[in-house]
Amino acid sequence: MGDDSSIGDAVQAMLGTSPCSVTLPAGAGKTELIAAAAADVATRGGTSLVLTHTHAGVDALRRRMKKFGIANDAVSVRTIDSWSYDLIAHFPVLAGLAVPATPNWSRVADYHRAAARTVGTGAVERMLKVSYTNLFVDEYQDCLTDQHELVLALAAVLPTAVLGDPLQGLFNFGRNQPVDWYSDVHPYFPAVDVDHRPRRWDPDHQDLGAWLVTIRDQLLNGLPIDLTSTPVQWIQRSDPRTYIGVCYAALRLEGTIAVLGRFRPDCVNAAGALGGSYSVMEAIDEKVPMALATKIDTKGGPEVAAATVEFAVGCTSGIPSHISAAKRRQLREGGSFTTRNPALRPAYEAVVQVRDTPTPATVGTALRLLSKLPGVTIHCRDAWNEVRRSAAMAVTDGCTVTEALELTRGHTRVAGRRPSGRVVSRPLLVKGLEYDHVIILNPANYSAQELYVALTRGSKSVTVISDTMVLPAVRMATRPAMPRQSHKG
């Protein structure tokens, strides 16, 4: 959007042509446009339902709604998943699906389909029309086909606008079937063009914003990106630890910082090497905490004790200097586990207590004391806090740790997480967020979408650490082909 007055024009263009779709580059004011549209609806006495995909996206949208002064009862911002679950929970007969008190997110596609069936019933259609005036769906390029079917059902009831950017679609992995912007979206949500500019980089870094617009065609067409004479700072990757000095130096900068790897092990290793000065941003369904929760609930003492210590080692820096690999192996095999150092003895004794009595309470105590060992810092704080809270809930509520973890995650999906100012993360998890400074560790193997998302997260500076100044040509990741169905006669 070219200026503040044109936001109003964009809002009217979008509201006046629903159903419609709006394609905007990263940082071009998509969140601002959604909030401005919701504010316009509110001034006319209406209520907006805003759906997105991640808890981080919910946080960002809610903050922008507050900026516009929108009353809480004039807008509801939810993830598609949590909204679907709640709808089914209220109308299980109409949905044709009874859901448990704690969502089973492995069945989330079933939740979407059941929610779509529910929306298509007369009773729920009337309820939706009374409850909401407009529907806005953010990050629509990330909708899977079952989510798309739900939005189509909603669009038959409510004036609907979907917003996104195919160059930011990152769910093209595994068996996911994301929408194709041109064959799936445009036929049902015709494109509306609105004026825009790279707002994220106003007013002091417009050269960076302008450059990020120019590289879109290169990425869409699989061309290399030359970082020579660009606003991006390039640092040659001379060895695997080049990033350490760069990341420590960045701590002197004002503002928020995101260090981006590609996979979780990249992030955990980097955060560990940086001594806890950066925290790992976890996926809401990260497997590591769930694996420990399952062991606490089902395994014997030696395995639970060993898993507790290994979890602590993976989430922190400093524990291996106090508990060697040999001692951890002895623990795992049921052998002795002792120390002569009085400063370490409380943690050792707590771990032995887990071995002898593997309960949520003893695990919680062991984790607390392990974190207090000299020189220990926690860098996987999201995972750490999830396990600590879930173990405590299991004690007070008399449930399993797995059940408590599911409840904890369900709350996070609704309420979101408090953002951290120094994170190590992945393009998939920071998409939709912005930071003052971004450091990209090694983008050589990124897809075009991952590279674009990574490059567009920083509003003040972007630093790329790579082997060469010319980033090799990368392809657009596309959705995997559906497996062929075998039909027997």
Side-chain angles (χ1 to χ4, degrees):
M1 283 139 304
D3 51 46
D4 289 342
S5 63
S6 71
I7 294 180
D9 295 336
V11 167
Q12 296 311 313
M14 186 169 66
L15 295 180
T17 54
S18 298
C20 67
S21 61
V22 177
T23 302
L24 287 174
K30 181 162 53 62
T31 305
E32 190 91 353
L33 176 57
I34 293 172
D40 185 275
V41 171
T43 61
R44 291 181 280 106
T47 302
S48 298
L49 173 62
V50 182
L51 298 178
T52 188
H53 295 275
T54 65
H55 65 278
V58 168
D59 287 342
L61 284 161
R62 286 176 177 167
R63 288 196 299 272
R64 200 61 57 95
M65 300 297 170
K66 288 182 180 179
K67 172 187 171 183
F68 275 80
I70 304 172
N72 290 336
D73 60 358
V75 62
S76 175
V77 185
R78 301 289 303 279
T79 64
I80 296 174
D81 294 352
S82 63
W83 189 87
S84 299
Y85 169 82
D86 286 349
L87 183 69
I88 302 165
H90 282 92
F91 301 99
V93 175
L94 296 178
L97 179 67
V99 294
T102 302
N104 178 1
W105 295 115
S106 68
R107 298 193 62 191
V108 69
D110 293 334
Y111 293 175
H112 300 149
R113 287 186 284 266
R117 289 194 298 270
T118 310
V119 169
T121 64
V124 173
E125 180 178 331
R126 290 190 293 273
M127 180 204 72
L128 290 169
K129 286 182 176 178
V130 170
S131 302
Y132 305 111
T133 314
N134 290 79
L135 169 65
F136 305 100
V137 188
D138 195 15
E139 304 289 358
Y140 205 75
Q141 74 282 343
D142 291 332
C143 270
L144 305 182
T145 51
D146 49 270
Q147 294 172 318
H148 179 55
E149 293 300 320
L150 169 59
V151 176
L152 289 176
L154 285 166
V157 180
L158 300 171
T160 300
V162 303
L163 301 92
D165 175 15
L167 196 48
Q168 297 181 68
L170 296 181
F171 285 88
N172 304 285
F173 57 85
R175 301 185 67 181
N176 290 339
Q177 291 289 307
V179 294
D180 180 90
W181 199 254
Y182 304 102
S183 62
D184 296 329
V185 179
H186 282 174
Y188 299 98
F189 301 101
V192 171
D193 292 327
V194 299
D195 289 337
H196 61 82
R197 71 170 192 271
R199 302 169 62 88
R200 179 173 297 163
W201 298 273
D202 286 348
D204 299 323
H205 305 281
Q206 293 179 343
D207 57 339
L208 177 56
W211 178 77
L212 290 167
V213 171
T214 66
I215 64 170
R216 287 178 61 85
D217 285 342
Q218 293 167 263
L219 291 170
L220 288 167
N221 292 291
L223 299 174
I225 305 295
D226 189 349
L227 300 180
T228 307
S229 301
T230 70
V232 172
Q233 180 184 14
W234 175 73
I235 294 175
Q236 186 165 21
R237 184 173 177 267
S238 56
D239 64 64
R241 295 176 63 83
T242 300
Y243 70 90
I244 293 178
V246 178
C247 294
Y248 274 130
L251 294 173
R252 297 193 292 268
L253 299 172
E254 291 187 3
T256 55
I257 309 169
V259 178
L260 300 181
R262 193 182 185 204
F263 301 113
R264 185 180 187 271
D266 303 333
C267 300
V268 173
N269 292 338
L274 292 167
S277 53
Y278 292 80
S279 179
V280 175
M281 178 190 290
E282 302 281 12
I284 195 71
D285 56 353
E286 174 52 48
K287 296 177 181 178
V288 171
M290 183 57 73
L292 178 57
T294 302
K295 287 184 178 179
I296 297 170
D297 292 334
T298 62
K299 300 300 181 181
E303 188 167 352
V304 174
T308 299
V309 174
E310 293 300 337
F311 173 79
V313 169
C315 289
T316 66
S317 300
I319 289 180
S321 65
H322 304 305
I323 306 176
S324 67
K327 282 185 176 291
R328 302 201 302 272
R329 184 171 60 253
Q330 288 177 335
L331 177 66
R332 190 163 54 248
E333 295 171 352
S336 64
F337 189 74
T338 59
T339 179
R340 296 178 181 177
N341 187 335
L344 309 182
R345 193 168 295 133
Y348 270 69
E349 290 176 348
V351 172
V352 171
Q353 186 65 31
V354 174
R355 187 189 64 189
D356 296 341
T357 312
T359 66
T362 58
V363 170
T365 299
L367 289 175
R368 177 175 59 82
L369 292 174
L370 286 167
S371 70
K372 293 183 178 298
L373 289 172
V376 170
T377 58
I378 301 171
H379 50 260
C380 293
R381 297 182 191 121
D382 289 344
W384 186 272
N385 291 335
E386 273 193 342
V387 171
R388 287 287 311 276
R389 283 196 297 267
S390 299
M393 184 185 298
V395 173
T396 57
D397 293 4
C399 60
T400 66
V401 181
T402 302
E403 291 169 340
L405 181 56
E406 291 287 5
L407 287 170
T408 298
R409 289 178 168 181
H411 174 76
T412 301
R413 282 184 168 92
V414 175
R417 284 177 176 150
R418 180 175 296 179
S420 174
R422 304 283 189 275
V423 301
V424 186
S425 191
R426 297 166 268 168
L428 180 66
L429 301 183
V430 298
K431 188 173 63 62
L433 303 179
E434 66 177 82
Y435 296 85
D436 293 303
H437 310 281
V438 165
I439 301 168
I440 305 173
L441 297 185
N442 185 20
N445 296 318
Y446 280 8
S447 67
Q449 293 100 316
E450 288 172 325
L451 181 57
Y452 180 70
V453 167
L455 288 169
T456 54
R457 294 310 93 197
S459 62
K460 296 180 180 178
S461 75
V462 176
T463 301
V464 175
I465 304 173
S466 63
D467 296 328
T468 63
M469 189 173 286
V470 179
L471 301 182
V474 289
R475 295 182 178 181
M476 289 283 289
T478 57
R479 66 185 178 193
M482 286 290 286
R484 289 187 177 183
Q485 300 292 325
S486 60
H487 301 281
K488 296 183 179 180

